[in-house]
Amino acid sequence: MKIKDYFFSSLPYIIFIFCISVIGILQKPLLNEEKVWTSEDFARQDSVIKAQLNLLQKLPTLGFDNLLASWAYLNFIQYYGDYEGRNLTGYSLLPDYYKVIVEKDPRFTGSYLLLDTATTLFAGRPDVSVDLINYGLKYLTPEIPLAYQVLMYKGTDELLFLGKTEEAQKSFETASEWATIANTETSLAIAQRAKETAQFLKNNPDSKLARASSWLMIFSNAREDVVRQLALSELKKLGAIVTFEGNTVSVKMPED
């Protein structure tokens, strides 16, 4: 192969590496861990992260979409888990991470499960969560692992936070269909629960049982104690009786 031909065939990789290097240069000021950080430091850090995410949205991916999504997801986990920083500056950048990751790799179903809870509960933007799930659903099929879970989260956002009962019913119905197609022990159990929740909403749009089922899903999938405590608190507000048996949690409503 001629040097000229080799250069042009390698050009996309060179451009990609250059762009990633630019992001790395932006991130370099954040790597000084020796100093004691102040609220101003964390605010400046958020400004740098915002610039990184804006650059990622405009970055020519050159076929590396999945890699960029994974890279952004790892950075999201670091941002989300920085409790000291988040206590000072909040979670305002969560929707930006969500947008970059979903738009770069809408089939990255595992990312929705944490991004959705984080954006809805901590950033207070269930509307963004639902909009991005709707975007991702254009690329998802029942055969993709955990795709049905994405629909479960969409239905939960619509039911508990947006008050869109009819849309939630449809989301749970589709989630049940997709979970049935997945045909695993876990998916079939979720399919039954989604089907029952959809039926509850159809017969009684204000069903406490349907809401309890949704909060139970949030509790079961939560990775943070604060989210689990919120879910338990909301379940108790609904009058639910919560019982624990080993690693299993169950909820019984008085209306049962």
Side-chain angles (χ1 to χ4, degrees):
M1 180 183 289
K2 296 180 179 179
I3 294 177
K4 181 179 179 181
D5 293 336
Y6 178 79
F7 173 77
F8 282 108
S9 65
S10 303
L11 188 59
Y13 298 93
I14 295 171
I15 295 174
F16 178 77
I17 292 171
F18 171 76
C19 293
I20 290 295
S21 299
V22 171
I23 295 175
I25 291 170
L26 283 174
Q27 197 169 22
K28 189 175 181 180
L30 308 181
L31 300 179
N32 182 5
E33 300 292 341
E34 300 298 325
K35 63 177 290 186
V36 176
W37 282 52
T38 65
S39 57
E40 289 77 14
D41 293 323
F42 282 113
R44 282 193 292 271
Q45 181 189 54
D46 278 10
S47 296
V48 173
I49 293 173
K50 179 74 172 179
Q52 291 175 348
L53 292 171
N54 287 337
L55 180 58
L56 273 176
Q57 288 181 358
K58 302 172 184 177
L59 191 68
T61 58
L62 306 172
F64 294 98
D65 303 70
N66 294 0
L67 182 60
L68 279 176
S70 298
W71 186 85
Y73 185 67
L74 291 174
N75 281 270
F76 151 73
I77 291 174
Q78 183 179 2
Y79 170 85
Y80 183 45
D82 183 3
Y83 299 115
E84 182 182 0
R86 301 294 67 76
N87 285 335
L88 291 174
T89 64
Y91 293 85
S92 62
L93 295 181
L94 289 177
D96 298 88
Y97 275 110
Y98 202 166
K99 180 178 175 64
V100 167
I101 294 165
V102 170
E103 290 187 351
K104 296 297 180 186
D105 188 3
R107 296 181 179 85
F108 185 6
T109 54
S111 69
Y112 290 87
L113 309 186
L114 184 54
L115 284 162
D116 184 274
T117 300
T119 301
T120 294
L121 295 181
F122 289 93
R125 295 302 306 271
D127 55 323
V128 171
S129 292
V130 170
D131 286 344
L132 290 172
I133 287 177
N134 281 331
Y135 174 87
L137 286 173
K138 298 174 185 177
Y139 301 88
L140 296 178
T141 63
E143 293 75 21
I144 296 177
L146 298 181
Y148 59 87
Q149 282 277 29
V150 176
L151 281 158
M152 291 290 288
Y153 274 83
K154 179 175 181 285
T156 298
D157 288 337
E158 291 164 338
L159 174 62
L160 297 182
F161 304 105
L162 298 179
K164 297 182 177 181
T165 306
E166 290 186 10
E167 287 87 341
Q169 177 191 330
K170 294 175 183 177
S171 295
F172 287 123
E173 287 173 347
T174 306
S176 179
E177 294 171 3
W178 285 25
T180 301
I181 293 171
N183 196 31
T184 66
E185 183 178 354
T186 299
S187 72
L188 292 176
I190 290 176
Q192 182 61 29
R193 189 169 75 195
K195 182 178 180 180
E196 291 173 353
T197 302
Q199 191 61 45
F200 293 148
L201 290 176
K202 183 177 181 179
N203 297 334
N204 178 11
D206 297 319
S207 171
K208 289 184 177 180
L209 189 57
R211 285 170 169 74
S213 178
S214 296
W215 280 114
L216 178 60
M217 187 191 75
I218 289 177
F219 176 88
S220 300
N221 290 284
R223 300 184 185 183
E224 306 82 10
D225 288 337
V226 64
V227 176
R228 294 189 187 96
Q229 291 302 318
L230 172 63
L232 284 176
S233 175
E234 293 297 328
L235 283 166
K236 291 176 180 178
K237 286 180 184 178
L238 291 169
I241 301 171
V242 183
T243 57
F244 297 90
E245 295 181 7
N247 294 325
T248 303
V249 58
S250 60
V251 170
K252 184 174 178 62
M253 296 294 294
E255 64 190 61
D256 288 348

